[in-house]
Amino acid sequence: MGTEELTGAALLAVGSALANPHRLRILGALADGRQYVSHLARELGMSRPLLHMHLQKLQSAGLVKGSLELSEDGKAVKYFEAVPFKLEITPQIVKSALPTLPPSTDKREGTSP
Amino acid sequence: MGTEELTGAALLAVGSALANPHRLRILGALADGRQYVSHLARELGMSRPLLHMHLQKLQSAGLVKGSLELSEDGKAVKYFEAVPFKLEITPQIVKSALPTLPPSTDKREGTSP
DNA sequence: GTCGCATGTCAGAAAATTCTGACACATGTC
DNA sequence: GACATGTGTCAGAATTTTCTGACATGCGAC
């Protein structure tokens, strides 16, 4: 796996995911190996709700993957790990992804005013 | 050229640049060849100030390049073209770019309260 | 001069994103 | 029971990004 045909939506999701310093740090931290949320929050010095949101976005983009597990002592622990993706982006690739971009949705009123 | 060592700032800039549908469309349109601003604005159906802003962001990220030229009949025309980049992003690359990420800038007050 | 078409920039509105501080739950230990 | 640990979620504030509608410039043609 690695070089799949990126859809417009996927390209947009990936771009958005990489558009924030915290998310880059999270991704970098997970490149070393899986970690559970609370631990990661402490390591990166950010609040859990915030980290949760960022992880959500990274997961939506398909860059990380979470799995809820049961630790030895019965506690529920959610581990996250980086998906071993390999993005490859060029102007041509962007161009060919355009047709699968969600329509602009004119935001001004629906179809029957 | 192509696979250069991405700095954290550059990675962030590129991600941000790709995080907007309009900018993807702009990039796609320029993949075919250079165009001047007003023409591009008509083609994409967006206002010139808006297009100007997006082009600025794309240029800051190093994905497009603009050059002000003088047309035959003496008019000043600004052409933009896509830079033939080839991004390659993996978790490891993100990780190695982290050290060159701009510091978090705690936003709370400066250095002498 | 006035029109057309190119350029750029500004202030402020509008919308989306980011972040915090509660709250909820479950489980094992003291 | 009260703690300490883990999980998730919510409403609202704070910030950033996006977008519009002016305005200003320059040059050629009429």
Side-chain angles (χ1 to χ4, degrees), chain A residues 3-111:
Chain A
T3 307
E4 308 133 30
E5 274 294 316
L6 275 176
T7 69
L11 182 55
L12 193 55
V14 166
S16 300
L18 299 176
N20 178 288
H22 280 166
R23 285 196 288 270
L24 292 183
R25 273 187 252 273
I26 293 169
L27 205 46
L30 292 181
D32 281 336
R34 70 207 308 254
Q35 283 192 340
Y36 67 94
V37 183
S38 287
H39 183 238
L40 194 53
R42 281 189 293 268
E43 184 174 307
L44 296 178
M46 72 174 82
S47 72
R48 232 169 20 79
L50 184 54
L51 175 59
H52 189 267
M53 195 207 65
H54 284 313
L55 282 171
Q56 218 61 32
K57 207 155 199 172
L58 283 167
Q59 185 167 43
S60 295
L63 304 186
V64 305
K65 174 175 151 302
S67 58
L68 187 62
E69 300 183 10
L70 232 43
S71 69
E72 296 183 2
D73 53 333
K75 301 266 193 59
V77 183
K78 181 136 191 188
Y79 283 94
F80 273 90
E81 62 188 304
V83 170
F85 60 87
K86 165 151 178 184
L87 293 171
E88 211 166 304
I89 308 178
T90 66
Q92 276 304 318
I93 289 177
V94 172
K95 177 176 157 67
S96 57
L98 287 185
T100 55
L101 247 191
S104 9
T105 51
D106 274 44
K107 32 182 75 87
R108 307 278 186 227
E109 286 311 294
T111 44

Side-chain angles (χ1 to χ4, degrees), chain B residues 1 13 18 22 25 31-32 47 52 58 67-68 74 93 98 105 111-112:
Chain B
M1 245 153 269
L18 298 176
H22 281 166
R25 272 187 253 272
D32 279 336
S47 72
H52 188 267
L58 283 167
S67 59
L68 186 61
I93 290 176
L98 287 186
T105 52
T111 45
S112 52

Side-chain angles (χ1 to χ4, degrees), chain B residues 22-101:
Chain B
H22 281 166
R23 285 195 288 271
L24 291 184
R25 272 187 253 272
I26 294 169
L27 206 45
L30 292 182
D32 279 336
R34 67 206 310 250
Q35 284 193 339
Y36 67 95
V37 183
S38 288
H39 183 239
L40 194 54
R42 282 189 293 267
E43 183 174 309
L44 296 177
M46 73 173 83
S47 72
R48 230 162 29 72
L50 185 55
L51 176 59
H52 188 267
M53 193 207 66
H54 285 312
L55 282 171
Q56 217 61 32
K57 209 155 196 168
L58 283 167
Q59 185 168 42
S60 295
L63 304 185
V64 306
K65 174 175 149 304
S67 59
L68 186 61
E69 301 183 10
L70 234 42
S71 70
E72 296 184 2
D73 53 333
K75 301 266 193 63
V77 183
K78 180 137 191 187
Y79 283 94
F80 272 91
E81 62 188 306
V83 169
F85 61 86
K86 165 151 177 186
L87 293 171
E88 211 165 305
I89 308 179
T90 67
Q92 276 304 319
I93 290 176
V94 172
K95 177 176 156 66
S96 56
L98 287 186
T100 55
L101 247 190

